[in-house]
Amino acid sequence: MAAIELRDLTKRYGDLVAVDDVSFEVEAGEVFGFLGPNGAGKTTTLRTLLGMQAPSSGTVSILGHDTTVESQRLDALADTGFLPSNPQFDEQATGREVLDLHESLKGGSRRADLLSRFEPPLDRPVREYSTGNVQKLGIVQAFMHDPDVVVLDEPTSGLDPLLQDRFNEFVRDERERGVTVLFSSHVLSEVRRICDRVAVLRDGELVAVEDVETLLDRSGKVVRARVAGDVPEDAFDISGVSDLARRPIDGATRISFTFTGDVDALVDELDRYPLQELDVEEAPLEDVFLDFYGGGDDA
Ligand SMILES: Nc1ncnc2c1ncn2[C@@H]1O[C@H](COP(=O)(O)OP(=O)(O)OP(=O)(O)O)[C@@H](O)[C@H]1O
Protein backbone atom coordinates (compact mmCIF):
# COMPACT_ATOMS: atom_id res chain seq x y z
CA MET A 1 0.00 0.00 0.00
CA ALA A 2 1.30 3.45 -0.92
CA ALA A 3 1.54 5.94 1.96
CA ILE A 4 -0.23 8.60 -0.10
CA GLU A 5 -2.51 8.02 -3.05
CA LEU A 6 -4.31 10.45 -5.36
CA ARG A 7 -6.54 9.00 -8.09
CA ASP A 8 -8.01 11.16 -10.85
CA LEU A 9 -8.20 14.12 -8.49
CA THR A 10 -10.00 17.16 -9.88
CA LYS A 11 -10.75 20.31 -7.90
CA ARG A 12 -12.77 23.16 -9.38
CA TYR A 13 -13.45 26.60 -7.95
CA GLY A 14 -16.50 27.66 -9.94
CA ASP A 15 -15.38 27.61 -13.58
CA LEU A 16 -11.70 27.40 -12.70
CA VAL A 17 -10.17 23.92 -12.82
CA ALA A 18 -7.38 24.32 -10.23
CA VAL A 19 -6.40 20.61 -10.26
CA ASP A 20 -7.19 18.55 -13.33
CA ASP A 21 -7.34 14.74 -13.14
CA VAL A 22 -4.15 14.29 -11.12
CA SER A 23 -2.97 10.82 -10.06
CA PHE A 24 0.20 9.81 -8.25
CA GLU A 25 1.36 7.72 -5.33
CA VAL A 26 4.01 8.33 -2.71
CA GLU A 27 5.57 5.13 -1.38
CA ALA A 28 6.23 4.63 2.33
CA GLY A 29 9.61 6.07 3.27
CA GLU A 30 9.92 8.19 0.14
CA VAL A 31 10.78 11.89 -0.03
CA PHE A 32 8.62 13.19 -2.84
CA GLY A 33 8.88 16.69 -4.27
CA PHE A 34 5.84 18.43 -5.68
CA LEU A 35 6.88 21.15 -8.07
CA GLY A 36 5.18 23.77 -10.13
CA PRO A 37 5.11 27.51 -10.75
CA ASN A 38 2.86 29.90 -8.85
CA GLY A 39 -0.80 29.04 -9.28
CA ALA A 40 -0.11 25.55 -10.68
CA GLY A 41 -2.41 23.97 -8.08
CA LYS A 42 0.07 22.58 -5.54
CA THR A 43 -1.59 24.02 -2.43
CA THR A 44 -5.02 23.02 -3.69
CA THR A 45 -3.80 19.45 -4.20
CA LEU A 46 -2.22 19.23 -0.74
CA ARG A 47 -5.23 20.74 1.06
CA THR A 48 -7.59 18.39 -0.75
CA LEU A 49 -5.37 15.43 0.07
CA LEU A 50 -5.54 16.38 3.74
CA GLY A 51 -9.34 16.54 3.65
CA MET A 52 -9.42 20.31 4.29
CA GLN A 53 -11.67 20.70 1.26
CA ALA A 54 -13.67 18.19 -0.78
CA PRO A 55 -12.48 17.06 -4.21
CA SER A 56 -14.78 17.83 -7.16
CA SER A 57 -14.04 14.26 -8.25
CA GLY A 58 -11.47 11.55 -7.68
CA THR A 59 -10.13 9.94 -4.53
CA VAL A 60 -7.41 10.74 -2.01
CA SER A 61 -5.96 8.65 0.79
CA ILE A 62 -3.23 8.74 3.40
CA LEU A 63 -2.00 5.48 4.96
CA GLY A 64 -4.98 3.73 3.39
CA HIS A 65 -7.54 6.10 4.95
CA ASP A 66 -9.91 7.98 2.66
CA THR A 67 -9.45 11.56 3.89
CA THR A 68 -12.81 12.68 2.46
CA VAL A 69 -14.58 10.53 5.09
CA GLU A 70 -14.39 12.32 8.45
CA SER A 71 -13.75 9.27 10.67
CA GLN A 72 -11.03 7.96 8.36
CA ARG A 73 -9.58 11.45 8.02
CA LEU A 74 -9.06 11.64 11.80
CA ASP A 75 -7.24 8.30 11.74
CA ALA A 76 -5.04 9.56 8.91
CA LEU A 77 -4.29 12.89 10.60
CA ALA A 78 -3.26 11.20 13.86
CA ASP A 79 -0.24 9.83 11.96
CA THR A 80 0.27 12.82 9.66
CA GLY A 81 2.06 16.13 10.12
CA PHE A 82 1.23 19.21 8.07
CA LEU A 83 3.05 22.47 7.52
CA PRO A 84 0.85 24.91 5.55
CA SER A 85 2.39 27.49 3.22
CA ASN A 86 1.72 30.39 5.61
CA PRO A 87 1.41 28.81 9.04
CA GLN A 88 -0.90 30.80 11.29
CA PHE A 89 -0.99 30.49 15.04
CA ASP A 90 -2.82 32.31 17.82
CA GLU A 91 -1.00 35.67 17.76
CA GLN A 92 -1.48 36.24 21.49
CA ALA A 93 -0.10 32.85 22.53
CA THR A 94 3.61 32.23 23.09
CA GLY A 95 5.37 29.59 21.01
CA ARG A 96 5.42 27.37 24.09
CA GLU A 97 1.64 27.66 24.51
CA VAL A 98 1.11 26.87 20.82
CA LEU A 99 3.18 23.71 21.16
CA ASP A 100 1.52 22.78 24.51
CA LEU A 101 -1.87 22.87 22.80
CA HIS A 102 -0.66 20.82 19.87
CA GLU A 103 0.94 18.31 22.23
CA SER A 104 -2.31 17.90 24.18
CA LEU A 105 -4.16 17.16 20.91
CA LYS A 106 -1.71 15.00 18.97
CA GLY A 107 1.30 14.24 21.16
CA GLY A 108 4.81 15.62 21.42
CA SER A 109 7.30 12.80 21.84
CA ARG A 110 9.84 14.51 19.56
CA ARG A 111 9.31 18.06 20.78
CA ALA A 112 12.61 18.43 22.67
CA ASP A 113 14.70 17.03 19.80
CA LEU A 114 13.03 19.35 17.28
CA LEU A 115 13.38 22.39 19.51
CA SER A 116 17.10 21.78 19.83
CA ARG A 117 17.37 21.69 16.03
CA PHE A 118 15.17 24.65 15.11
CA GLU A 119 15.07 26.87 18.24
CA PRO A 120 12.02 29.15 17.80
CA PRO A 121 11.82 31.77 20.61
CA LEU A 122 9.37 29.90 22.84
CA ASP A 123 8.66 32.58 25.44
CA ARG A 124 7.65 35.33 23.03
CA PRO A 125 4.11 35.79 21.73
CA VAL A 126 3.69 34.68 18.12
CA ARG A 127 2.74 38.25 17.06
CA GLU A 128 6.38 39.24 17.71
CA TYR A 129 7.78 36.39 15.60
CA SER A 130 9.66 37.02 12.37
CA THR A 131 8.51 35.05 9.29
CA GLY A 132 11.43 32.64 9.76
CA ASN A 133 10.53 32.01 13.40
CA VAL A 134 6.89 31.28 12.49
CA GLN A 135 8.20 28.79 9.96
CA LYS A 136 10.46 27.16 12.59
CA LEU A 137 7.51 26.83 14.99
CA GLY A 138 5.49 25.33 12.14
CA ILE A 139 8.18 22.74 11.42
CA VAL A 140 8.37 21.71 15.09
CA GLN A 141 4.59 21.47 15.22
CA ALA A 142 4.43 19.36 12.02
CA PHE A 143 6.90 16.75 13.25
CA MET A 144 6.57 16.74 17.06
CA HIS A 145 3.98 13.94 17.35
CA ASP A 146 6.31 11.62 15.39
CA PRO A 147 4.07 11.20 12.34
CA ASP A 148 4.58 8.49 9.71
CA VAL A 149 3.65 10.88 6.91
CA VAL A 150 4.43 14.58 6.66
CA VAL A 151 2.99 17.01 4.11
CA LEU A 152 4.87 20.29 3.78
CA ASP A 153 3.78 23.25 1.65
CA GLU A 154 6.91 25.19 0.69
CA PRO A 155 8.69 24.40 3.96
CA THR A 156 11.84 26.44 3.38
CA SER A 157 10.16 29.69 2.36
CA GLY A 158 11.13 32.36 4.89
CA LEU A 159 14.16 30.41 6.14
CA ASP A 160 17.64 31.84 5.62
CA PRO A 161 20.15 29.69 3.66
CA LEU A 162 21.71 28.29 6.83
CA LEU A 163 18.34 27.16 8.15
CA GLN A 164 17.35 25.82 4.75
CA ASP A 165 20.43 23.60 4.90
CA ARG A 166 19.57 22.52 8.44
CA PHE A 167 16.04 21.71 7.32
CA ASN A 168 17.22 19.71 4.30
CA GLU A 169 19.59 17.72 6.49
CA PHE A 170 16.71 17.11 8.89
CA VAL A 171 14.49 15.78 6.08
CA ARG A 172 17.26 13.40 5.01
CA ASP A 173 17.45 12.13 8.61
CA GLU A 174 13.68 11.67 8.69
CA ARG A 175 13.91 9.62 5.53
CA GLU A 176 16.47 7.39 7.25
CA ARG A 177 13.89 6.88 10.01
CA GLY A 178 11.35 5.76 7.39
CA VAL A 179 9.13 8.84 7.44
CA THR A 180 7.24 9.58 4.21
CA VAL A 181 7.56 13.21 3.14
CA LEU A 182 5.56 14.99 0.45
CA PHE A 183 6.56 18.58 -0.03
CA SER A 184 5.94 21.34 -2.50
CA SER A 185 8.76 23.62 -3.51
CA HIS A 186 10.01 26.25 -5.90
CA VAL A 187 13.60 25.70 -4.78
CA LEU A 188 14.92 23.33 -7.40
CA SER A 189 18.35 22.84 -5.89
CA GLU A 190 16.82 21.47 -2.70
CA VAL A 191 14.76 19.04 -4.73
CA ARG A 192 17.99 17.66 -6.19
CA ARG A 193 19.46 17.23 -2.74
CA ILE A 194 16.64 15.61 -0.82
CA CYS A 195 14.01 14.05 -3.12
CA ASP A 196 13.77 10.53 -4.46
CA ARG A 197 11.07 11.42 -6.97
CA VAL A 198 9.28 14.52 -8.15
CA ALA A 199 5.92 15.34 -9.67
CA VAL A 200 5.68 18.46 -11.80
CA LEU A 201 2.36 20.28 -12.01
CA ARG A 202 1.53 22.95 -14.58
CA ASP A 203 -1.84 24.69 -14.92
CA GLY A 204 -3.42 22.04 -12.70
CA GLU A 205 -2.14 19.14 -14.81
CA LEU A 206 0.56 16.68 -13.94
CA VAL A 207 3.24 16.91 -16.62
CA ALA A 208 5.78 14.50 -15.11
CA VAL A 209 6.40 12.05 -12.30
CA GLU A 210 10.02 10.98 -12.33
CA ASP A 211 13.04 9.85 -10.36
CA VAL A 212 15.24 12.85 -9.79
CA GLU A 213 18.21 10.83 -11.09
CA THR A 214 16.37 9.91 -14.30
CA LEU A 215 15.43 13.51 -14.84
CA LEU A 216 19.05 14.57 -14.47
CA ASP A 217 20.34 11.75 -16.69
CA ARG A 218 17.90 12.72 -19.39
CA SER A 219 18.97 16.33 -19.20
CA GLY A 220 22.63 15.40 -19.70
CA LYS A 221 25.87 17.13 -18.78
CA VAL A 222 27.24 20.53 -19.54
CA VAL A 223 30.75 20.17 -21.02
CA ARG A 224 33.20 23.08 -21.14
CA ALA A 225 36.69 22.67 -22.57
CA ARG A 226 39.64 24.80 -23.55
CA VAL A 227 41.61 23.38 -26.45
CA ALA A 228 45.08 24.63 -27.52
CA GLY A 229 45.02 26.27 -30.97
CA ASP A 230 42.18 26.08 -33.44
CA VAL A 231 39.73 23.19 -33.80
CA PRO A 232 38.35 21.86 -37.09
CA GLU A 233 34.81 22.73 -38.22
CA ASP A 234 33.52 19.21 -37.53
CA ALA A 235 34.96 18.98 -34.01
CA PHE A 236 32.45 17.57 -31.49
CA ASP A 237 29.98 16.81 -34.26
CA ILE A 238 28.99 13.58 -32.50
CA SER A 239 25.68 12.12 -31.42
CA GLY A 240 24.32 13.67 -28.20
CA VAL A 241 25.93 17.11 -28.56
CA SER A 242 23.62 20.12 -28.56
CA ASP A 243 23.98 23.89 -28.07
CA LEU A 244 27.60 23.73 -29.26
CA ALA A 245 29.42 27.05 -28.90
CA ARG A 246 33.05 27.84 -29.67
CA ARG A 247 35.08 30.96 -29.37
CA PRO A 248 38.79 31.70 -29.95
CA ILE A 249 40.65 33.03 -26.94
CA ASP A 250 44.43 33.76 -26.62
CA GLY A 251 45.63 31.16 -29.10
CA ALA A 252 43.15 28.59 -27.81
CA THR A 253 39.49 27.72 -28.39
CA ARG A 254 36.78 27.60 -25.76
CA ILE A 255 34.14 24.97 -26.47
CA SER A 256 30.91 24.39 -24.59
CA PHE A 257 27.94 22.11 -25.23
CA THR A 258 25.28 19.98 -23.58
CA PHE A 259 25.87 16.25 -23.88
CA THR A 260 23.29 13.46 -23.60
CA GLY A 261 25.12 10.76 -25.59
CA ASP A 262 27.48 7.88 -24.90
CA VAL A 263 30.29 8.80 -22.50
CA ASP A 264 32.90 6.63 -24.32
CA ALA A 265 32.21 8.50 -27.56
CA LEU A 266 32.68 11.78 -25.75
CA VAL A 267 35.98 10.66 -24.22
CA ASP A 268 37.22 9.50 -27.67
CA GLU A 269 36.31 12.85 -29.20
CA LEU A 270 37.96 14.83 -26.41
CA ASP A 271 41.07 12.70 -26.83
CA ARG A 272 41.54 14.04 -30.39
CA TYR A 273 42.42 17.54 -29.18
CA PRO A 274 45.12 19.05 -26.97
CA LEU A 275 42.98 19.90 -23.95
CA GLN A 276 44.08 22.64 -21.56
CA GLU A 277 40.99 22.58 -19.35
CA LEU A 278 37.93 20.38 -19.00
CA ASP A 279 34.85 20.83 -16.87
CA VAL A 280 31.87 18.43 -16.94
CA GLU A 281 28.88 19.06 -14.70
CA GLU A 282 25.19 18.28 -14.35
CA ALA A 283 22.83 20.48 -16.29
CA PRO A 284 21.27 22.98 -13.88
CA LEU A 285 17.89 21.73 -12.66
CA GLU A 286 16.50 25.14 -13.53
CA ASP A 287 17.13 24.34 -17.21
CA VAL A 288 15.65 20.88 -16.85
CA PHE A 289 12.46 22.22 -15.34
CA LEU A 290 12.17 25.04 -17.84
CA ASP A 291 11.21 22.30 -20.29
CA PHE A 292 8.20 21.62 -18.09
CA TYR A 293 7.46 25.12 -16.89
CA GLY A 294 8.17 26.87 -20.13
CA GLY A 295 4.69 26.40 -21.63
CA GLY A 296 3.80 24.66 -24.87
CA ASP A 297 2.66 21.08 -25.29
CA ASP A 298 5.99 19.45 -25.80
CA ALA A 299 6.94 18.99 -22.13
N1 LIG B 1 -10.24 29.13 -2.47
C1 LIG B 1 -10.06 29.42 -3.77
N2 LIG B 1 -11.06 29.96 -4.50
C2 LIG B 1 -10.89 30.22 -5.82
N3 LIG B 1 -9.75 29.99 -6.50
C3 LIG B 1 -8.72 29.46 -5.82
C4 LIG B 1 -8.82 29.14 -4.43
N4 LIG B 1 -7.63 28.62 -4.02
C5 LIG B 1 -6.84 28.61 -5.13
N5 LIG B 1 -7.49 29.11 -6.20
C6 LIG B 1 -6.95 29.20 -7.57
O1 LIG B 1 -6.55 27.89 -7.95
C7 LIG B 1 -5.34 27.93 -8.71
C8 LIG B 1 -4.28 27.07 -8.03
O2 LIG B 1 -3.87 27.73 -6.84
P1 LIG B 1 -2.88 27.07 -5.77
O3 LIG B 1 -2.79 27.99 -4.61
O4 LIG B 1 -3.31 25.67 -5.52
O5 LIG B 1 -1.52 27.05 -6.59
P2 LIG B 1 -0.03 26.81 -6.07
O6 LIG B 1 0.62 25.94 -7.08
O7 LIG B 1 -0.04 26.35 -4.66
O8 LIG B 1 0.58 28.26 -6.18
P3 LIG B 1 1.70 29.00 -5.24
O9 LIG B 1 3.00 28.36 -5.58
O10 LIG B 1 1.61 30.41 -5.72
O11 LIG B 1 1.28 28.81 -3.82
C9 LIG B 1 -4.97 29.40 -8.83
O12 LIG B 1 -5.46 29.88 -10.05
C10 LIG B 1 -5.69 30.04 -7.66
O13 LIG B 1 -5.99 31.40 -7.94
Side-chain angles (χ1 to χ4, degrees):
M1 178 190 74
I4 292 174
E5 219 177 295
L6 298 91
R7 283 262 154 276
D8 308 322
L9 174 67
T10 294
K11 177 66 186 177
R12 292 190 197 88
Y13 297 112
D15 289 341
L16 177 84
V17 184
V19 176
D20 191 2
D21 201 23
V22 163
S23 301
F24 64 87
E25 294 181 357
V26 182
E27 300 302 328
E30 197 174 23
V31 176
F32 193 97
F34 195 39
L35 291 154
N38 286 331
K42 303 181 296 295
T43 298
T44 302
T45 305
L46 298 184
R47 290 174 61 84
T48 312
L49 168 68
L50 289 157
M52 299 165 80
Q53 56 191 13
S56 304
S57 59
T59 58
V60 280
S61 72
I62 298 177
L63 298 168
H65 305 293
D66 178 345
T67 50
T68 62
V69 176
E70 191 55 21
S71 59
Q72 292 194 47
R73 175 177 184 245
L74 294 178
D75 286 339
L77 294 190
D79 292 320
T80 302
F82 176 47
L83 177 69
S85 59
N86 287 305
Q88 291 190 344
F89 302 107
D90 178 354
E91 295 270 307
Q92 309 304 322
T94 62
R96 189 182 309 281
E97 287 165 344
V98 167
L99 297 184
D100 285 347
L101 176 64
H102 189 77
E103 183 163 352
S104 69
L105 296 172
K106 292 183 86 168
S109 61
R110 302 197 57 212
R111 177 172 169 166
D113 169 33
L114 289 157
L115 285 174
S116 69
R117 279 182 184 254
F118 292 105
E119 303 173 313
L122 286 185
D123 293 315
R124 289 176 43 195
V126 170
R127 68 170 180 278
E128 293 177 11
Y129 272 35
S130 65
T131 312
N133 279 332
V134 171
Q135 199 70 4
K136 289 193 232 172
L137 191 66
I139 292 169
V140 173
Q141 178 258 175
F143 284 89
M144 66 188 263
H145 60 291
D146 200 12
D148 295 327
V149 170
V150 185
V151 177
L152 308 161
D153 200 351
E154 305 209 9
T156 55
S157 73
L159 298 183
D160 62 39
L162 222 64
L163 265 164
Q164 287 186 12
D165 278 352
R166 198 183 300 177
F167 177 78
N168 291 339
E169 192 183 315
F170 169 68
V171 171
R172 281 195 293 266
D173 291 349
E174 290 304 285
R175 179 158 158 267
E176 292 298 306
R177 298 177 67 244
V179 177
T180 306
V181 180
L182 168 61
F183 78 98
S184 73
S185 179
H186 290 296
V187 186
L188 304 180
S189 54
E190 90 186 351
V191 165
R192 166 79 184 93
R193 271 181 272 138
I194 64 177
C195 289
D196 302 301
R197 286 194 303 153
V198 292
V200 182
L201 199 66
R202 189 179 69 199
D203 295 337
E205 291 181 30
L206 209 56
V207 291
V209 179
E210 293 231 50
D211 280 0
V212 172
E213 290 301 326
T214 310
L215 206 61
L216 287 168
D217 281 352
R218 200 147 54 81
S219 61
K221 306 279 185 214
V222 175
V223 180
R224 294 187 191 86
R226 182 181 156 119
V227 180
D230 211 356
V231 293
E233 274 297 305
D234 65 350
F236 298 99
D237 185 11
I238 59 172
S239 169
V241 169
S242 58
D243 303 327
L244 178 66
R246 70 167 88 197
R247 120 184 115 84
I249 177 168
D250 297 338
T253 307
R254 277 207 185 281
I255 305 269
S256 68
F257 53 88
T258 303
F259 188 70
T260 49
D262 174 51
V263 175
D264 286 339
L266 175 63
V267 171
D268 287 347
E269 183 67 9
L270 287 167
D271 199 34
R272 293 176 56 198
Y273 307 103
L275 285 184
Q276 294 178 330
E277 283 173 29
L278 177 65
D279 182 32
V280 181
E281 59 184 32
E282 273 172 355
L285 261 187
E286 276 70 6
D287 289 356
V288 179
F289 282 103
L290 265 181
D291 290 345
F292 294 120
Y293 287 2
D297 295 321
D298 54 348

